Amino acid sequence: MKDNISTIFSSYNIRNITLKNRLAVAPLTRVSGNEDGTTGPLMKDYYQSFAQGGFGLIITEGIYTDKRYSQCYKFQTGLTDEKQVSSWKTITDAVHSSGGLIFAQLMHAGALSQYNKYRGRGGAPSAIKPLGEEMKLYYGKGDYEVPKEMSTEDIKCVVKGFVNAAILAKEAGFDGVEIHGANGYLLDQFLTVYSNKRTDEYGGELANRLRIYQEIITAVRAAVGSSMIIGVRFSQGKVNDTEYKWPKQTADAKYTFESISRCGVDYIHTTEYIAKAPAFKDSLPLAELAKEYGKVPVIANGGITHENEANCLIDAKQADIVSLGKAALANPNWPNVVQTQQQLKAFNAEMFNPIADLKTANAYFKQTL
């Protein structure tokens, strides 16, 4: 064990909860639930392993929020009924028994829906075919379909879905919820200029494109009260467009993070390809912009593999917490390995071949033993 404690191993408070360290597991799509949206048999051990491995916080894969247009992937889990709640309760209990905290990431697919057992076709801000192709790692095939343009009544149902899912997350034992506003999914589709061509109060200027975020956060807070943590995730790039940048750059970041902070979020989670890289030419990283303008705790994600990279982000005050994705998949015990100065394993994409589910990952690990 090291004599000097790294910054990442210091405790940190997000409002009314204390994380034992600054290390979080990032949301990672695993398509390992059951057809009815309940958690699959491999998921309890998967999430518990991160808590046992020393992570202070675990953020779940994206969980769909309603039985309308929100489901994105085949074998994705939901928080829409009591059966799904009960299945997640088994996981939250396991994480808590191993000393961890766990937040539910609440997600609506929008136009990027690859599978929906409830509606079939996706719904989105505008009837615009998404860029790129469906993701084969998550049972996708071919081009995305043109989604239905959501009516204002549909948008109200979206907000209601997030609220109901947050209430059920609290019932399921989650310590907080993260509103997924990133990576090209529904909320990000409202924020993105080329996927939102609306002419009503949800389209046009940035204030309108952020309206759905504000309505969801405000409604969720009113529903779950002050005791539950609420965060929101932002990115510029998307799963189907890694190059996108906010059009007014730092000015957009300033307005976005200030506006979201005023809604009462407890933290902002940013994800970029490289967390420490400038968000725009000659600008601060996106996480640091969130810290400067949001004035709330910030979780940074993107390309973080080693201890020094994580410490640098926090020591430079670019973030308060770091979340690990692929590095955590390769090393569910990353914090324990680093603290005991053992060798970290490199991520291997074979863990996702042919499907990025837990069955494939388990088979890979067995082959490498």
Side-chain angles (χ1 to χ4, degrees), residues 17-251:
I17 67 168
T18 300
L19 278 61
K20 64 184 177 183
N21 57 43
R22 310 292 190 96
L23 297 164
V25 178
L28 299 157
T29 301
R30 302 319 306 267
V31 291
S32 295
N34 298 315
E35 180 65 28
D36 63 358
T38 57
T39 60
L42 300 175
M43 291 177 64
K44 181 180 80 69
D45 289 345
Y46 167 72
Y47 280 109
Q48 188 174 25
S49 70
F50 293 121
Q52 293 170 335
F55 282 96
L57 173 64
I58 300 160
I59 306 172
T60 71
E61 59 209 271
I63 301 172
Y64 66 81
T65 55
D66 61 49
K67 293 180 178 178
R68 288 168 58 85
Y69 298 110
S70 69
Q71 186 176 7
C72 191
Y73 300 116
K74 190 174 185 180
F75 300 122
Q76 183 183 9
T77 56
L79 271 172
T80 67
D81 59 40
E82 290 300 323
K83 193 174 180 182
Q84 294 168 355
V85 168
S86 295
S87 70
W88 274 111
K89 185 71 166 62
T90 302
I91 293 174
T92 60
D93 284 347
V95 168
H96 292 150
S97 70
S98 297
L101 296 169
I102 183 167
F103 294 172
Q105 190 190 63
L106 306 182
M107 166 188 168
H108 193 300
L112 296 191
S113 178
Q114 297 186 178
Y115 175 85
N116 186 317
K117 66 172 288 184
Y118 306 105
R119 291 292 173 111
R121 186 183 180 198
S126 302
I128 296 172
K129 181 179 178 180
L131 300 174
E133 294 183 339
E134 293 184 0
M135 301 178 72
K136 294 178 181 178
L137 296 178
Y138 307 131
Y139 297 100
K141 183 179 180 181
D143 292 347
Y144 288 102
E145 294 183 358
V146 176
K148 170 189 180 293
E149 181 171 315
M150 288 182 165
S151 65
T152 53
E153 186 59 35
D154 288 327
I155 294 172
K156 290 178 182 178
C157 288
V158 169
V159 176
K160 184 177 179 181
F162 274 91
V163 170
N164 290 340
I167 293 169
L168 293 180
K170 191 173 185 178
E171 184 180 329
F174 284 101
D175 303 290
V177 293
E178 178 172 289
I179 309 301
H180 196 349
N183 300 112
Y185 299 111
L186 180 71
L187 304 194
D188 190 41
Q189 290 160 28
F190 274 91
L191 185 59
T192 300
V193 291
Y194 66 69
S195 56
N196 183 352
K197 298 298 183 183
R198 301 178 73 93
T199 57
D200 62 3
E201 67 268 33
Y202 293 97
E205 62 183 33
L206 180 56
N208 287 346
R209 290 184 278 119
L210 278 170
R211 188 180 303 276
I212 191 170
Y213 288 82
Q214 296 167 323
E215 290 181 351
I216 288 170
I217 294 165
T218 302
V220 167
R221 175 58 75 201
V224 301
S226 60
S227 63
M228 195 170 197
I229 299 297
I230 300 174
V232 61
R233 195 180 210 212
F234 282 99
S235 71
Q236 296 189 92
K238 310 159 195 325
V239 295
N240 63 324
D241 180 6
T242 59
E243 302 300 319
Y244 183 79
K245 297 289 185 183
W246 291 346
K248 294 184 180 178
Q249 303 188 4
T250 299

Side-chain angles (χ1 to χ4, degrees), residues 314-333:
I314 296 173
D315 290 340
K317 302 191 184 303
Q318 295 174 334
D320 302 294
I321 301 163
V322 295
S323 66
L324 308 183
K326 292 178 180 177
L329 291 182
N331 305 272
N333 58 346

Side-chain angles (χ1 to χ4, degrees), residues 265-283:
V265 295
D266 297 304
Y267 74 89
I268 294 170
H269 187 179
T270 63
T271 178
E272 294 272 83
Y273 183 68
I274 300 294
K276 65 181 180 181
F280 318 103
K281 185 178 179 181
D282 300 324
S283 84

